[in-house]
Amino acid sequence: MEKMPIAAQVYSVREEAGADFAGTMQQLKSLGYDGVELAGLYGRTPDEIKGWLEEAGLTPIGAHVPFDEFDKDLESTVRAYHSIGCSYVAIPSITEDRRYGGSRYEEFLAAIPVIAAECRKYGMKLLYHNHGFEFEKTADGKTPLDELYASQSPEDLETELDTCWIKVAGRDPLAYLEKYRMRCPLVHIKDFIQDGEVKLVAVGDGVQDIKAIAEKAQECGAQWLVVEQDSHIFGSPMENMKKSICCLRSMME
């Protein structure tokens, strides 16, 4: 398998980044990560973030940006992440009222092309990152995730498939990567075990077929693999991020 670039979703090390962003970026680079996907700016300016990433030698591939930030000040929000050097911005989740069947769902759908158009002005693409709730069946037997993407053109909205939550929802990550072939530039690689509840673990320590997912992602046109671990029940964040990239690299050799 040809080597693909691997990024770290900064939410995985959010406490460390909040305390020492520059030092945390240096650590991620030393572990072998090629880039990062941001999750907030921790009270820092875009110029500061950009400078620290440049010093560390990390590519700012994109950012998770809450919908409310776009809704509040679209132009300034998009411009800020463009100035850092991001190629993608992803809506990480949505509130219940904006979900399928919610009171503001249609309003949310109508906003997507507007946000996407602003992103295109700066050469950026808009993505949506799934969790598990998007796989509950709709009245006609479809899923909210598929309904969302069917309602939008690929030009306006691409996918950022989180392969962990797809599996947790009882779906096949490989099938979803195929379904959204060439529409999923960033793929979240995440592993878990299920012992009464879902427990997130380092990549390779859980039930996911990581090698198959990575290979399928590449085959379907993904540009980056993104390691994300929302919580760390076993081990420290940096220990887990190290285990994860070592596992991925070994499978890609």
Side-chain angles (χ1 to χ4, degrees):
M1 179 180 176
E2 184 180 344
K3 181 179 177 180
M4 279 187 73
I6 301 174
Q9 168 44 262
V10 179
Y11 187 76
S12 309
V13 289
R14 54 194 175 278
E15 292 185 4
E16 291 79 359
D20 180 6
F21 190 90
T24 300
M25 297 305 103
Q26 294 284 353
Q27 288 184 67
L28 289 174
K29 181 63 177 181
S30 72
L31 296 181
Y33 287 93
D34 303 298
V36 292
E37 182 180 37
L38 299 168
L41 303 183
Y42 301 96
R44 304 295 188 173
T45 68
D47 284 346
E48 287 177 317
I49 297 294
K50 179 181 181 180
W52 288 326
L53 291 175
E54 288 177 348
E55 288 174 9
L58 290 169
T59 301
I61 65 169
H64 276 191
V65 183
F67 179 82
D68 284 342
E69 291 188 23
F70 292 122
D71 198 35
K72 182 179 179 180
D73 191 340
L74 176 58
E75 183 178 359
S76 294
T77 298
V78 172
R79 190 168 59 244
Y81 286 101
H82 167 72
S83 71
I84 293 171
C86 296
S87 299
Y88 305 94
V89 286
I91 299 170
S93 187
I94 44 176
T95 53
E96 287 192 23
D97 60 342
R98 292 190 175 103
R99 297 177 187 176
Y100 183 88
S103 61
R104 303 180 71 186
Y105 179 65
E106 295 299 327
E107 175 189 320
F108 171 65
L109 295 184
I112 289 174
V114 178
I115 298 171
E118 188 67 24
C119 290
R120 278 196 296 275
K121 290 181 184 178
Y122 294 90
M124 300 165 69
K125 293 183 177 181
L126 179 66
L127 316 177
Y128 179 83
H129 166 269
N130 66 274
H131 288 82
F133 65 83
E134 295 94 345
F135 295 93
E136 298 170 1
K137 284 191 176 181
T138 62
D140 57 2
K142 298 179 181 179
T143 70
L145 189 71
D146 292 330
E147 291 287 287
L148 170 63
Y149 286 117
S151 75
Q152 307 294 328
S153 73
E155 180 185 33
D156 285 338
L157 188 66
E158 296 194 355
T159 78
E160 182 177 50
L161 295 177
D162 187 307
T163 55
C164 169
W165 296 123
I166 293 173
K167 180 77 169 179
V168 169
R171 306 287 175 146
D172 181 1
L174 302 184
Y176 261 84
L177 286 165
E178 178 62 38
K179 185 169 192 171
Y180 291 105
R181 171 182 287 269
M182 306 310 294
R183 195 177 174 177
C184 191
L186 309 183
V187 174
H188 271 211
I189 302 292
K190 185 187 299 183
D191 214 343
F192 71 100
I193 58 175
Q194 199 152 11
D195 181 17
E197 62 178 317
V198 173
K199 297 177 181 177
L200 301 179
V201 296
V203 171
D205 286 352
V207 303
Q208 292 277 60
D209 187 343
I210 299 299
K211 183 175 177 62
I213 290 171
E215 289 177 345
K216 188 65 174 178
Q218 184 174 31
E219 177 196 329
C220 292
Q223 300 300 302
W224 285 80
L225 302 177
V226 182
V227 173
E228 180 183 42
Q229 188 170 342
D230 310 45
S231 60
H232 301 272
I233 299 174
F234 310 107
S236 72
M238 278 298 173
E239 289 171 345
N240 287 329
M241 295 303 282
K242 180 178 181 179
K243 289 180 70 175
S244 291
I245 194 166
C246 287
C247 175
L248 267 176
R249 288 295 187 209
S250 67
M251 290 180 177
M252 295 166 67
E253 290 178 351

